[in-house]
Amino acid sequence: MKATKAKAMPAPERKRGSGVKFVYDLLRNEILDLVLAPGSPIDEVQLAERFSMSRTPIREALVRLAGEGLIDTLPNRSTMVANLDFLNMSPFFDALTLMYRVTTQLAAQNRRPADLEAIHARQAEFAAAVKAQDALAMIATNAAFHAAIAEAGRNPYFNSLFSRLLDEGRRFLRLYYQSYDDRLPQQFVDEHEAMIAAIVARDTALADRLGKAHAEQIVQQIQKLMIGEERLDIAL
């Protein structure tokens, strides 16, 4: 599915000496939010003009993005935004579903009062983004909500992996939200509330089931979007 092309925003003012991080952060967000579409070329000269800086920090930022798999360097040394990896969708979704399950279950087991405050706060931000129909805010606050749950589980290795998967999944989610005209169903907010209730009750079995169901319905919707539902029906 082709992403809707949006215009990159002009670069805001930056602090002296923060060039690499500044370029990296801005380009990373634009790639993940599909402002820079998969497969689009990256021109160092144009970026240097856009950010009003030399090409050295631009190159360093692109190296960091390439290390995260967001930028591809071609044999002719030109660069482009990495395409969405449709061939590896199944293992990605398997890992994502596992992380939804294990982090929610561990949060129910290990959560502390401060964790619940953070989870409730992130959920309020997510609900507000859904109400405002702000797709980019929905994606960011959804990731923050699940990151807060992962933090409550107290396993830094799971936290790191889940954070990476949520980041990689942002481009899939952006396409998914576009299919809803950026109007996310209230169902997602309700599912979050059910997960919170299970965590509060320390019901690890229920937390596991809800985490799995939440992940699987997202996966199924994205797969439906990518593959489509139209089938050829021929009378034999």
Side-chain angles (χ1 to χ4, degrees):
M1 179 176 179
K2 186 176 181 180
T4 301
K5 187 174 181 179
K7 185 178 180 181
M9 297 296 292
E13 294 184 5
R14 60 185 175 84
K15 296 180 179 179
R16 184 180 299 274
S18 61
V20 176
K21 184 179 186 306
F22 173 80
V23 174
Y24 163 81
D25 287 341
L26 204 58
L27 291 181
R28 183 175 183 274
N29 282 335
E30 290 182 352
I31 291 170
L32 292 174
D33 294 334
L34 299 179
V35 173
L36 294 176
S40 60
I42 299 293
D43 189 304
E44 289 184 13
V45 175
Q46 291 181 357
L47 289 176
E49 292 176 356
R50 175 187 173 190
F51 295 116
S52 300
M53 62 178 67
S54 72
R55 293 171 65 178
T56 299
I58 302 294
R59 290 195 188 102
E60 291 182 26
L62 294 179
V63 167
R64 289 184 61 181
L65 292 167
E68 295 183 13
L70 295 175
I71 294 288
D72 286 334
T73 302
L74 304 179
N76 62 2
R77 302 192 68 176
S78 62
T79 55
M80 59 179 280
V81 177
N83 284 306
L84 290 168
D85 190 359
F86 294 106
L87 293 178
N88 287 316
M89 282 179 65
S90 290
F92 169 79
F93 287 142
D94 286 344
L96 185 68
T97 299
L98 179 61
M99 286 300 99
Y100 269 101
R101 293 180 60 187
V102 72
T103 56
T104 309
Q105 182 184 118
L106 284 176
Q109 177 179 308
N110 299 323
R111 57 86 174 162
R112 298 171 184 169
D115 298 319
L116 296 179
E117 291 179 12
I119 292 169
H120 280 297
R122 302 294 82 77
Q123 168 67 352
E125 292 166 357
F126 175 72
V130 171
K131 184 176 181 179
Q133 298 178 1
D134 185 339
L136 300 186
M138 288 184 233
I139 294 170
T141 55
N142 176 72
F145 170 77
H146 288 291
I149 289 177
E151 286 288 338
R154 294 192 155 64
N155 185 313
Y157 298 100
F158 289 152
N159 295 359
S160 177
L161 175 57
F162 198 20
S163 177
R164 174 186 165 191
L165 292 170
L166 289 170
D167 266 351
E168 291 183 12
R170 278 177 62 175
R171 294 201 289 173
F172 286 116
L173 278 178
R174 189 68 189 96
L175 289 173
Y176 172 47
Y177 289 177
Q178 284 178 357
S179 73
Y180 279 97
D181 293 326
D182 291 345
R183 295 178 175 88
L184 192 65
Q186 178 65 25
Q187 172 190 353
F188 278 26
V189 178
D190 297 340
E191 289 181 2
H192 280 188
E193 291 292 348
M195 294 166 73
I196 293 173
I199 292 169
V200 170
R202 295 194 186 276
D203 190 334
T204 56
L206 178 59
D208 180 23
R209 291 197 301 272
L210 291 174
K212 180 180 180 182
H214 185 62
E216 286 184 342
Q217 63 88 8
I218 295 174
V219 169
Q220 289 169 5
Q221 289 292 341
I222 294 175
Q223 289 176 329
K224 187 186 300 182
L225 172 65
M226 299 302 165
I227 299 172
E229 294 184 293
E230 295 184 5
R231 301 291 299 275
L232 183 62
D233 187 10
I234 301 176
L236 298 177

